Every structure is written in structure tokens, then in C-alpha cells.
Amino acid sequence: MRHEQATIRTGRRSGLPIIIAVHSTALGDAVGGCRMHSYPHLFDGLADALALSEAMTLKCAAAGLDFGGGKSVIVLPPGGTITGEERRRIFLDFGDAVEAFGGRYRAAEDAGTTAADMAVARERTAHVHCLPERLGGSGEPSELTALGALAAIEAVWQHIAGTPSLAGRRVTVIGLGQVGSRLARCLAEAGAELTVTDIDLDRKDLATEVGARWVDPATAATTETDLLVPAALGGLLSHDLVTRLRCAAVVGPANNQLTDDAVADELAARGIIWAPDFIVNAGGVIHGVLMDIAGGTRTEARTAARAIGPRLAGILRQADLSVTTPHAVALEAARGRVAAAARRTD
Ligand SMILES: NC(=O)c1ccc[n+]([C@@H]2O[C@H](COP(=O)([O-])OP(=O)(O)OC[C@H]3O[C@@H](n4cnc5c(N)ncnc54)[C@H](O)[C@@H]3O)[C@@H](O)[C@H]2O)c1
């Protein structure tokens, strides 16, 4: 394990396993969202927390934030929606688990959790962020995640076609949750010819609203398209899938898109640009850190999220110059910043 700490505790009210992983605090307290999801096994949840917290370290380092990487996972039993008192018990337990870290890990919402859930956790700890605006919080970070992802998509298209304009470009979005739905609306406004999917068929309404073509989730990734935008959960890009992709680039907000780092090389070998996910989806953590922790304004946070575009453009140029992948360039820079900070604190 390359992590500073990982804990699993059973919520005393909910009986559910709550996993918190702190990958690194070399740059500062660890920040990272709370994912609530149904996993086949507890250890799948642990593996997700470990991988996601490491990605948070890279994300903060690459975005120039003085924070480290952490992540929490609440492991749900299979099936069913959790609401009402049952949900409240889970997030009181979650607040206790976060409090046990004494501020070394600070949480906010992620896939499967909301600002309202964080407001419940706040009853047990001060170290949760992005509460609902009606309660004086900074609200859902997904708006800035979508804004940053849009800036990244435009930067990739500029790199490929010499223009950031997405008008008439074929863009396929996989996953229409908190981030994907907002991003799909932005892409529709930008004039993209949209194809969308989600395993939740209720999301077809959004497809109709934005004038997008709906495809089956099983075939969405291999649809012929200019830009493929993963906005669901991780692990989409496997060795097998890469051989079947029919796109010029993959650039989207989903965390941990690669099943392993070698997939980035295979994408490059096929001439497909892959924009490193931890660069593309930093808008959410920028929201949390700048607005909630540093007390900045929404305008400042939006400006910082838009800066993801130029940052990614620089990485793509550097990769071309060095004849390597954008993934290798981004990893080296982020790991270098963390290693330098660790040396200073030794
Ligand atoms: N919320 C944020 O601000 C934020 C920040 C950074 C990164 N991310 C990452 O972005 C991704 C989406 O986050 P979110 O907050 O929108 O989550 P969410 O849970 O709101 O949405 C995920 C959506 O993906 C759908 N989905 C799941 N599996 C699918 C599949 N196989 N095919 C198609 N659709 C599928 C779900 O039905 C859901 O609608 C996650 O990987 C998350 O970690 C989110």
C-alpha cells in the first residue's frame, strides 16, 4: 500500500462499512469526496478508496492546490435506494468516521452522495464541506467539475482541430449524473452533436431535453464519435475496449478511467488522445478548496476551474514534444510536486 493510512469502521447506527483512505498529506490535509456505492465485496470498496485517494493526491498537486489526497467509500448492500432516516443514520456515522481523522481528512460529496448528506455529517464533524447553499454552504461541486471538464474538452479539440469550437462535433457522454447531466447541457449549448447514455433509463428525459441521441450503455463507448466523454464510474478504459474505440480522443470527468497505466500507452499507440482524468476533473476539488476552505468567491473558483483548459493544452503540447503520453507528462509533474513537498517535511 502506497498510502499513509486506511481505515474501515462499521457505522454504529447504520451497520454499514465506512472506508476512509488517506494517500498523502505531503502537500497539506487530505481532501476528497465520499462515494456511496454497492460493491460486490468490501475489498472492492477498499480498492476503490485506495485508487481514488491516490488520484486525489495527483489532482491537488496538478491543480497547484496545497492539499493532499483522501477519499471515503460507504459500502452499500446490493440494490435499493436509501432515503429518509436510514440515509440520515449513514451520514451521522460517516461524520463520526471523518471526525476520527481530526481534520487530516476533509470530505465532500461525490458519486452517490449529495450536499444534503454532507449537512447531516456536519452534525458530527466540522471537516465536511460543500453543504447546501440554503444552509450557508458552497453547494454541489459538480457545476465546477462540469465547467472544468468543458474547458478540457475544448482544449483537446483545439489541439486536434485548431479550434475550440464544438459546434457540429460528435460528442458522446457516458453517465448523466450530477456532473454528466450538467456537462451534457453545456455541450448542447456549445452546439455539439450529442450522443448520451446512462444505466438509469430515467435519464432519457435529459436526452430529449438537450436534443441528444440516446444509445444503449453497452455500446456507447464504441460509438463512432469525435470525442468520448466518460462521466460515469471508473475503469471504463480497458485493454480490450481500447482496441474497439472509434474516436479521436477520450476526455471526461470520471475518476480513474484506466484499468491500469499501460492502457494510456495503448491509446497513444492507436492515435487516440487521452486527457488524464485527474487533470480534467479537478473543478470539484477547486470548488471545495477555494470556496469552502480558503473562503474565495465563486468567480475566483470558476476562473480556476476554467484554467484546466490551458493546463491540459500545455500537457498535450509537452507530450508531443517529448514523444510521450499526456498521462506520463501529467504524472511526472504531479508526483514531482508531491515528492518535493515530502522532502521539505522530512
Ligand atoms: N461530483 C463531482 O463534482 C466530481 C468531481 C470529480 C470527479 N467526479 C467523478 O465524475 C464521475 C461522475 O460523478 P457524479 O458525481 O456525476 O456521479 P453520479 O453518481 O451523480 O452519476 C453517475 C452516473 O453514471 C451512471 N452510470 C453508472 N454506471 C454506468 C455505466 N456503466 N454506463 C452508463 N452510465 C452509468 C449512473 O446511473 C449515474 O447517473 C465519477 O467518476 C466521479 O468520481 C465527480
Side-chain angles (χ1 to χ4, degrees):
M1 189 171 93
R2 296 182 294 267
H3 296 63
E4 289 179 15
Q5 190 178 354
T7 63
I8 306 177
R9 53 189 269 168
T10 305
R12 73 179 167 85
R13 305 170 188 81
S14 63
L16 290 180
I18 297 169
I19 303 166
I20 297 183
V22 170
H23 174 257
S24 168
T25 55
L27 282 166
D29 289 340
V31 290
C34 170
R35 178 171 288 193
M36 186 160 74
H37 187 61
S38 173
Y39 293 87
H41 192 280
L42 174 66
F43 290 153
D44 297 309
L46 176 61
D48 219 11
L50 293 175
L52 289 164
S53 62
E54 187 166 359
M56 285 306 301
T57 299
L58 297 172
K59 196 180 301 190
C60 289
L65 302 173
D66 292 331
F67 284 87
K71 200 83 180 184
S72 42
V73 164
I74 300 172
V75 181
L76 288 180
T81 315
I82 306 229
T83 54
E85 264 311 302
E86 193 183 4
R87 195 164 181 113
R88 182 175 158 74
R89 283 195 292 276
I90 294 172
F91 285 94
L92 289 173
D93 285 340
F94 176 67
D96 287 341
V98 172
E99 179 61 16
F101 278 74
R104 232 177 104 241
Y105 166 64
R106 298 158 181 244
E109 53 270 39
D110 186 53
T113 64
T114 65
D117 296 328
M118 293 306 121
V120 175
R122 179 59 77 86
E123 294 178 32
R124 306 294 306 169
T125 181
H127 308 300
V128 289
H129 300 278
C130 306
L131 270 57
E133 288 175 85
R134 66 185 160 77
L135 299 177
S138 63
E140 299 277 352
S142 39
E143 185 202 329
L144 258 71
T145 308
L147 184 72
L150 179 67
I153 292 168
E154 289 171 342
V156 167
W157 194 245
Q158 168 84 50
H159 190 79
I160 292 172
T163 168
S165 170
L166 299 170
R169 298 329 324 167
R170 295 168 303 170
V171 183
T172 301
V173 180
I174 301 178
L176 297 174
Q178 300 182 88
V179 182
S181 58
R182 289 173 166 88
L183 185 53
R185 285 194 179 93
C186 296
L187 289 163
E189 265 175 40
E193 191 187 297
L194 269 186
T195 298
V196 298
T197 191
D198 198 295
I199 49 170
D200 178 354
L201 297 185
D202 288 346
R203 304 288 166 163
K204 278 189 177 177
D205 290 350
L206 178 72
T208 310
E209 180 196 319
V210 299
R213 181 171 73 106
W214 178 272
V215 287
D216 190 273
T219 56
T222 52
T223 301
E224 191 171 348
T225 190
D226 294 315
L227 297 163
L228 183 65
V229 178
L233 302 185
L236 175 74
L237 299 172
S238 64
H239 295 275
D240 168 55
L241 181 71
V242 168
T243 61
R244 296 184 287 119
L245 288 177
R246 294 188 295 157
C247 58
V250 184
V251 43
N255 270 308
N256 292 11
Q257 293 167 23
L258 305 178
T259 52
D260 61 82
D261 283 349
V263 173
D265 301 327
E266 288 169 14
L267 282 158
R270 280 211 55 209
I272 298 171
I273 292 177
W274 181 66
D277 42 21
F278 63 86
I279 302 293
V280 176
N281 65 19
V285 72
I286 287 170
H287 168 123
V289 164
L290 291 196
M291 288 172 66
D292 244 82
I293 301 178
T297 63
R298 187 169 292 275
T299 305
E300 286 163 344
R302 286 176 72 88
T303 303
R306 280 204 201 90
I308 289 171
R311 182 175 306 124
L312 178 59
I315 290 167
L316 298 178
R317 277 195 301 275
Q318 184 61 45
D320 284 354
L321 284 172
S322 315
V323 197
T324 185
T325 63
H327 187 46
V329 171
L331 269 184
E332 190 183 340
R335 285 182 178 154
R337 187 167 175 240
V338 176
R343 280 194 297 277
R344 281 196 298 277
T345 52
D346 271 348

